[in-house]
Amino acid sequence: MKCFRVQITTRTGLRDARGENLQRQAEALGIAGVERIAVSDLYFLEGALDSAAAVRLAERLLCDPVVEETMVAPLDDTGSEAGATGHQAVEVVLHPGVTDSVAENLLEGARVAGIAGLARAATGQRYEISGQLKDGALTRLTTLFANPVIQSYAVNSRIAPPFTLPQPADDTVELIPLTGADAAGLEAISRERRLALDLAEMRAIQDYYRGERREPVDIELEMLAQTWSEHCVHKTFRALIDYEERPAGGGQATAVRRIDSLLKTYIRAATERAGKPWVRSAFVDNAGIIAFDEHTDLAFKVETHNHPSALEPFGGANTGVGGVVRDVIGVSARPIANTDVLCFGPADLPFEELPAGVLHPRHIADGVTAGVEDYGNKMGIPTVNGAILYDPGYTANPLVFCGCLGILPHGSHRSAAQAGDLVVVIGGRTGRDGLRGATFSSMEMTHETGQIAGSAVQIGHPIHEKQALEAVLLARDEGLYTAITDCGAGGLSSAVGEMAAELGAEVDLARVPLKYSGLQPWEIWLSEAQERMVLAVPPLHWPRLQTICAGLDVEATALGTFTGDGQISLRCGERVVGRLDAHFLHHGIPRRHLQAVWTPPATREPDPAALSAGARGDLTSTLLALLATPDIRSKEDVVRRYDHEVQGASVGKPFTGAASAGPADAAVLDLRFASAQSGRRQPATSDLQPATVSRGVAVSAGINPAYGALDPYAMAWATVDEALRNCVAAGADPDQVALLDNFCWGNPNLPDRLGGLVRCAEGCHDAAVAYGAPFISGKDSLNNEYTGADGRKHAIPGTLLISAIGIMPDTARAVTSDLKAAGNRVYVLGLTGDELGASAYYRLHDLVGANVPQPPAHGLTLLRGLHRAIAAGLVQACHDCSEGGLAVAAAEMSLAGELGLALDLRRIPQTPAAGRDATLAFSESLGRFLVEVRPQDAAEFEACLAGLPCTHAGDVRQDGGFMLLGLDGRPVVEAALPALAQAWRGHLT
């Protein structure tokens, strides 16, 4: 066996875009002295190869000869190569055993190309740095090149290939002495094994094993911890909670109120109150399902992958996308669109302010963005909607929300395994990826988390998932399985455990296909290795499924049988390595009883005189500064990396206008061009609906964590309202909108954290009921809290994401936000009040305030009126007013349409308390829109909104000037379109 090292470099004189990007990142992080960074790709090839074969393989598969050069040499040393002054080199490879999807594809590519003898491959990178680096600069640079959680690196020496050393099979099973442990001993077992179980839960397990008259083994205890984890069973949302409210500054608290499950009391209750017949499935499967029409359903799910993304940003986000795509596959649907909402710490955070053991927010943002891009683009799923927010509270705990929309024929999803069905796993192989990921995601993070929980990180392989998807859809259409789910958190333990909850199952772990040998039984069972699906397959259908999978190069293995005896029995060959009662596994967890207290912050509105002084009083400069803030400015540098056109269904795109220069409110998909069938694309004259009707769906989101600092109830209302506004602004019917909730919060065992969560859940319920919008799915991610080296706890801002899907009766009536023609009228819909608390305007000027936006007076009625106007073809453009208020919304419409706009603040519908120019311009009151209407349609449009707050407040101008007239009739904002565009692109001067 010979090993060759291949180095692929950019030809001399050509641009090295990766190196330039790294150099910019180094400059942004304050690393001085870097003159140039050159990036090369490394490949290690081992097998029965000679030099000629290695060169042929490199030139045919690894190098683009037009722009790259190849160096191939036998690997015979890893010696030092310290160079001349001003030149340093760093080489990086993955740790042995970490998924290397490029290397896996290289092995297959060599086989297809007819180059025999390649047995193993690995990849890496080489970074050559030119410049006079100061002390410590090279060490800081390595944080850009390598993540020690998954990678090794060498400085000024050649790195060795990271091949996994052969290991013998290991069927070791550890007995855990638990039945005789006291309270301290039980807590120690949970802590040392990272089970994330409290004392009551450990005692319940102890009682079970005392009844069994034996000690647990490792695989059983790990399975219980996974199944009972916060991540999997949502025990906080199902807990009994004693809740009270205390006034700011002390005083009489409200009577304690007992809440019997946040999920049942608030989220499910809202869905039941809505009573929508088009909800096919809510809260009972991997994704929520609604009817699209009588033949077709839509599945939607949004997940979080926060803790893994904090440790390994690329892998965390990458597998977050992969995981939510598998959730949609797990309800037998074809994925047709992805969404992503990302929350990071400040990109310009000084290195000296970075908490111990935490990656820099810029590094996290770059890795997360690349991970989202990689998975969606490679699977051919468009990323159509999202948002990016920045706050210091996300520095140690970034939030990564990944969503997926799928389509399936009505009635095609089967979810009831039968006794005698085979337990079949298809897709990727199993390794040590993601061990204890479910329990890891249920714990707080500390400055040492990266050192002790690196095994919880997974690396994705989107090509494998694409192959598995096609196999599942073919099997679905032929009726080959009775139930299906994905291997997500907890791996086979979770997937098989859930499918066998009523039946029981017997599984032979020796049959599980492994990436490498040496895994212990509990590691095989708990591994969260990606791209795997588990199916319940009647024996009669097993040969046909094998044929389908073989034709798609998808590995399929029957691991055992669903038994019907109510026991989960695990074997390695003939040896039993674990056995658990399925009823105890799923119903034995003691219910938590928690305490929650909400105390509002002691805040007040700033002195009006202070708002009119200096920079705060210059509303033109304020508007430009708001457009340039990280939360509001264009995210084009990120969004353009995502393919939003693939599959050809995108009607409403992330950017709108003739030059795609402005932000859209929602994504719009024309589902005539999205096939629900496997392997077939439907023509425009689809039998889903008549060819004359282009029925579609709008996808949107609402999020504003800043409001939560003042009142989580108000934040929830605002978030639901924003998601609905965005959907309806694009043309969706407000009476056919479904919602998904994602709560990200701190430690729920702390009463103040839980108090905010209770208020937020209550706000979700009340807003959803007011709008008649059902929740169909959701996910909570708790314990997003970091304990620093000093022992202090730092929770994220309580964050709620609401995602919405709305049915579009006809995508030909879809509306965008860009202004269309000079001379058209602009209407303001909804009331503007004195509601600047936690607004973008206040945050810009380092203020907080107290008047957070409250529920709108005409919410659903106004949405219905607007929809009537849109359906009648009366609306040329529509944009909701959210962050930055009316002024920012108007500026975005103007720059998107490349047309001027004049608005008179005296003519907008307003409450008596809103009587200041800055308030009217920047208030973030809910339920408001700006709508462009042609003069000839004005009377009919106004009739659609009769009796509602709706006034003609301005007009579209040809001259490119943007103006807001104040309460005295004089301009308070004047700006040219180029200035607006420059600010929105983040280039404020």
Side-chain angles (χ1 to χ4, degrees):
M1 299 281 283
K2 290 185 177 180
C3 189
F4 292 87
R5 171 189 164 106
V6 179
Q7 183 173 340
I8 308 294
T9 61
T10 303
R11 287 190 177 276
T12 303
L14 296 182
R15 180 185 177 191
D16 183 349
R18 290 183 297 175
E20 293 174 2
N21 181 53
L22 286 168
Q23 189 173 350
R24 286 193 295 270
Q25 290 184 48
E27 292 172 357
L29 295 176
I31 303 174
V34 179
E35 297 175 2
R36 182 174 180 270
I37 299 177
V39 184
S40 303
D41 291 311
L42 300 178
Y43 300 90
F44 302 93
L45 313 175
E46 184 178 86
L49 299 169
D50 57 19
S51 295
V55 170
R56 188 165 69 254
L57 190 152
E59 291 179 344
R60 290 188 62 179
L61 298 181
L62 305 178
C63 177
D64 180 346
V66 176
V67 296
E68 293 175 322
E69 297 175 334
T70 305
M71 292 179 284
V72 181
L75 188 72
D76 51 12
D77 72 89
T78 58
S80 171
E81 56 172 52
T85 302
H87 180 87
Q88 308 280 353
V90 177
E91 295 191 350
V92 179
V93 295
L94 293 166
H95 292 323
V98 174
T99 297
D100 189 339
S101 59
V102 176
E104 292 180 25
N105 288 333
L106 177 55
L107 290 168
E108 177 63 15
R111 184 188 66 80
V112 172
I115 302 174
L118 182 61
R120 297 199 295 181
T123 66
Q125 296 79 38
R126 177 181 171 87
Y127 304 91
E128 297 181 17
I129 307 104
S130 301
Q132 301 297 321
L133 302 182
K134 297 182 179 179
D135 291 344
L138 185 59
T139 300
R140 290 171 66 183
L141 271 176
T142 60
T143 65
L144 295 178
F145 304 152
N147 184 341
V149 172
I150 62 165
Q151 293 169 313
S152 305
Y153 65 90
V155 177
N156 294 326
S157 64
R158 292 194 171 188
I159 198 164
F163 293 133
T164 304
L165 297 175
Q167 300 179 58
D170 186 352
D171 63 355
T172 301
V173 176
E174 182 184 357
L175 198 69
I176 313 297
L178 179 144
T179 58
D182 60 11
L186 292 174
E187 291 177 327
I189 292 171
S190 178
R191 182 175 59 254
E192 291 163 7
R193 300 190 72 90
R194 302 206 309 278
L195 303 178
L197 298 175
D198 65 19
L199 182 57
E201 291 157 351
M202 291 298 292
R203 281 177 169 156
I205 294 171
Q206 185 181 56
D207 289 343
Y208 171 79
Y209 281 100
R210 283 174 174 171
E212 293 284 302
R213 298 190 177 187
R214 67 180 179 91
E215 299 288 3
V217 293
D218 52 4
I219 196 170
E220 296 167 346
L221 200 54
E222 295 286 352
M223 186 180 186
L224 283 163
Q226 168 266 304
T227 306
W228 291 9
S229 68
E230 183 74 75
H231 182 89
C232 291
V233 80
H234 313 294
K235 47 198 174 188
T236 296
F237 267 74
R238 298 177 187 274
L240 282 173
I241 299 173
D242 289 337
Y243 172 73
E244 65 175 314
E245 296 180 1
R246 298 173 182 170
Q252 184 66 39
T254 62
V256 174
R257 176 158 52 99
R258 173 69 56 86
I259 299 169
D260 183 0
S261 169
L262 292 175
L263 178 63
K264 181 175 68 175
T265 303
Y266 295 127
I267 308 303
R268 287 183 184 271
T271 300
E272 291 166 2
R273 287 276 300 273
K276 299 293 187 180
W278 40 264
V279 175
R280 304 286 201 207
S281 173
F283 303 107
V284 296
D285 221 321
N286 288 27
I289 303 175
I290 66 170
F292 177 65
D293 60 23
E294 59 181 317
H295 305 294
T296 309
D297 292 340
L298 296 173
F300 197 21
K301 181 64 177 288
V302 180
E303 276 274 14
T304 54
H305 226 220
N306 304 335
H307 284 28
S309 298
L311 290 187
E312 208 306 284
F314 176 90
N318 194 249
T319 53
V321 175
V324 78
V325 168
R326 286 196 308 279
D327 280 330
V328 166
I329 300 172
V331 293
S332 305
R334 173 182 285 280
I336 59 172
N338 285 345
T339 67
D340 73 310
V341 174
L342 313 174
C343 302
F344 304 125
D348 58 355
L349 184 73
F351 244 105
E352 54 271 17
E353 296 180 17
L354 195 64
V358 172
L359 299 174
H360 194 278
R362 184 179 291 273
H363 187 168
I364 291 175
D366 288 338
V368 165
T369 301
V372 172
E373 168 200 358
D374 178 82
Y375 217 100
N377 288 6
K378 285 181 179 175
M379 278 202 74
I381 303 172
T383 301
V384 298
N385 184 258
I388 305 177
L389 287 77
Y390 300 88
D391 187 276
Y394 300 123
T395 298
N397 284 97
L399 302 184
V400 177
F401 301 91
C402 304
C404 185
L405 176 70
I407 186 170
L408 66 155
H410 178 57
S412 64
H413 177 50
R414 295 168 294 280
S415 57
Q418 303 296 311
D421 287 349
L422 299 177
V423 178
V424 174
V425 62
I426 73 170
R429 292 193 157 213
T430 297
R432 288 194 173 92
D433 319 51
L435 289 176
R436 298 190 175 111
T439 53
F440 164 64
S441 295
S442 304
M443 301 167 67
E444 293 182 7
M445 298 181 69
T446 75
H447 63 288
E448 296 177 328
T449 296
Q451 301 171 34
I452 63 175
S455 62
V457 175
Q458 312 127 56
I459 301 296
H461 196 322
I463 303 305
H464 282 175
E465 189 146 311
K466 173 65 173 173
Q467 293 169 295
L469 162 65
E470 299 304 331
V472 167
L473 295 181
L474 287 169
R476 178 203 68 189
D477 290 350
E478 294 189 28
L480 301 183
Y481 58 82
T482 59
I484 183 173
T485 193
D486 76 307
C487 281
L492 292 169
S493 169
S494 175
V496 179
E498 290 176 5
M499 294 174 74
E502 303 301 325
L503 292 172
E506 184 176 50
V507 172
D508 184 355
L509 298 176
R511 298 181 186 178
V512 177
L514 303 180
K515 297 179 181 180
Y516 36 81
S517 61
L519 273 69
Q520 295 180 11
W522 81 266
E523 294 176 317
I524 297 172
W525 191 233
L526 271 294
S527 168
E528 296 180 10
Q530 298 291 292
E531 290 78 49
R532 299 176 300 161
M533 304 294 297
V534 174
L535 295 79
V537 180
L540 180 66
H541 297 324
W542 175 226
R544 175 57 183 155
L545 180 61
Q546 286 178 294
T547 300
I548 288 173
C549 290
L552 292 166
D553 290 331
V554 175
E555 200 160 11
T557 307
L559 305 180
T561 307
F562 292 99
T563 58
D565 66 1
Q567 299 292 310
I568 307 293
S569 299
L570 306 173
R571 295 185 291 109
C572 274
E574 297 303 316
R575 181 189 176 202
V576 175
V577 296
R579 185 176 175 86
L580 270 173
D581 178 75
H583 185 270
F584 176 71
L585 177 67
H586 290 284
H587 304 288
I589 180 172
R591 194 176 186 192
R592 287 191 167 177
H593 188 177
L594 303 173
Q595 309 300 312
V597 177
W598 165 247
T599 305
T603 59
R604 58 189 179 88
E605 283 295 298
D607 182 353
L611 291 176
S612 60
R616 294 172 181 170
D618 184 345
L619 301 194
T620 299
S621 296
T622 293
L623 173 60
L624 295 176
L626 282 172
L627 289 170
T629 56
D631 284 2
I632 294 176
R633 73 167 181 84
S634 171
K635 308 303 189 301
E636 187 170 6
D637 55 336
V638 172
V639 175
R640 292 298 186 200
R641 298 173 63 175
Y642 305 150
D643 190 339
H644 58 267
E645 301 282 6
V646 65
Q647 298 191 28
S650 299
V651 175
K653 308 174 193 302
F655 297 105
T656 186
S660 297
D665 287 307
V668 177
L669 304 176
D670 187 336
L671 296 196
R672 292 180 302 169
F673 304 101
S675 172
Q677 307 299 320
S678 60
R680 296 194 295 275
R681 180 181 176 82
Q682 293 180 345
T685 55
S686 161
D687 62 2
L688 284 178
Q689 60 273 324
T692 55
V693 178
S694 54
R695 193 170 171 86
V697 61
V699 181
S700 67
I703 186 170
N704 196 325
Y707 295 162
L710 294 181
D711 186 356
Y713 179 90
M715 175 183 72
W717 249 102
T719 304
V720 171
D721 188 72
E722 181 184 15
L724 279 154
R725 288 197 314 267
N726 284 332
C727 234
V728 174
D733 181 350
D735 290 304
Q736 295 190 71
V737 176
L739 305 176
L740 284 81
D741 61 273
N742 286 92
F743 295 84
C744 287
W745 227 260
N747 184 348
N749 294 310
L750 301 176
D752 63 325
R753 313 283 203 265
L754 186 57
L757 182 61
V758 169
R759 274 194 69 78
C760 187
E762 187 175 10
C764 281
H765 170 272
D766 292 355
V769 168
Y771 285 112
F775 291 104
I776 58 169
S777 183
K779 188 72 172 179
D780 58 271
S781 172
L782 308 181
N783 296 293
N784 289 284
E785 197 138 343
Y786 170 83
T787 302
D790 58 0
R792 295 179 58 193
K793 290 181 178 292
H794 306 272
I796 63 163
T799 304
L800 171 70
L801 169 68
I802 295 292
S803 303
I805 48 171
I807 301 300
M808 303 274 294
D810 188 350
T811 56
R813 297 293 195 191
V815 175
T816 55
S817 62
D818 51 304
L819 296 176
K820 301 301 190 298
N824 284 346
R825 297 183 178 185
V826 175
Y827 286 79
V828 176
L829 279 60
L831 288 172
T832 299
D834 183 11
E835 296 176 319
L836 284 165
S839 65
Y841 170 67
Y842 273 5
R843 299 199 307 273
L844 177 70
H845 294 305
D846 298 319
L847 302 170
V848 177
N851 298 339
V852 67
Q854 296 300 305
H858 305 87
L860 182 56
T861 306
L862 190 142
L863 293 182
R864 286 171 171 164
L866 175 59
H867 180 65
R868 285 194 297 270
I870 291 174
L874 306 175
V875 173
Q876 302 303 304
C878 183
H879 196 24
D880 84 304
C881 300
S882 53
E883 202 163 32
L886 183 148
V888 166
E892 289 173 341
M893 294 181 77
S894 192
L895 65 89
E898 299 181 333
L899 289 165
L901 176 61
L903 284 178
D904 190 336
L905 297 179
R906 295 171 297 180
R907 293 161 60 183
I908 70 172
Q910 55 191 276
T911 67
R916 286 190 308 112
D917 292 334
T919 302
L920 295 171
F922 302 116
S923 170
E924 296 180 6
S925 296
L926 307 183
R928 298 182 302 154
F929 300 85
L930 286 169
V931 181
E932 179 189 9
V933 178
R934 295 182 301 179
Q936 59 267 37
D937 295 328
E940 192 176 351
F941 173 80
E942 290 173 7
C944 289
L945 279 299
L948 295 168
C950 169
T951 60
H952 169 208
D955 299 282
V956 183
R957 298 166 47 166
Q958 185 66 54
D959 62 6
F962 180 84
M963 179 184 298
L964 298 183
L965 299 178
L967 293 174
D968 63 0
R970 293 181 295 182
V972 292
V973 172
E974 283 189 285
L977 285 183
L980 296 179
Q982 186 177 23
W984 190 64
R985 289 182 171 82
H987 303 307
L988 186 65
T989 56

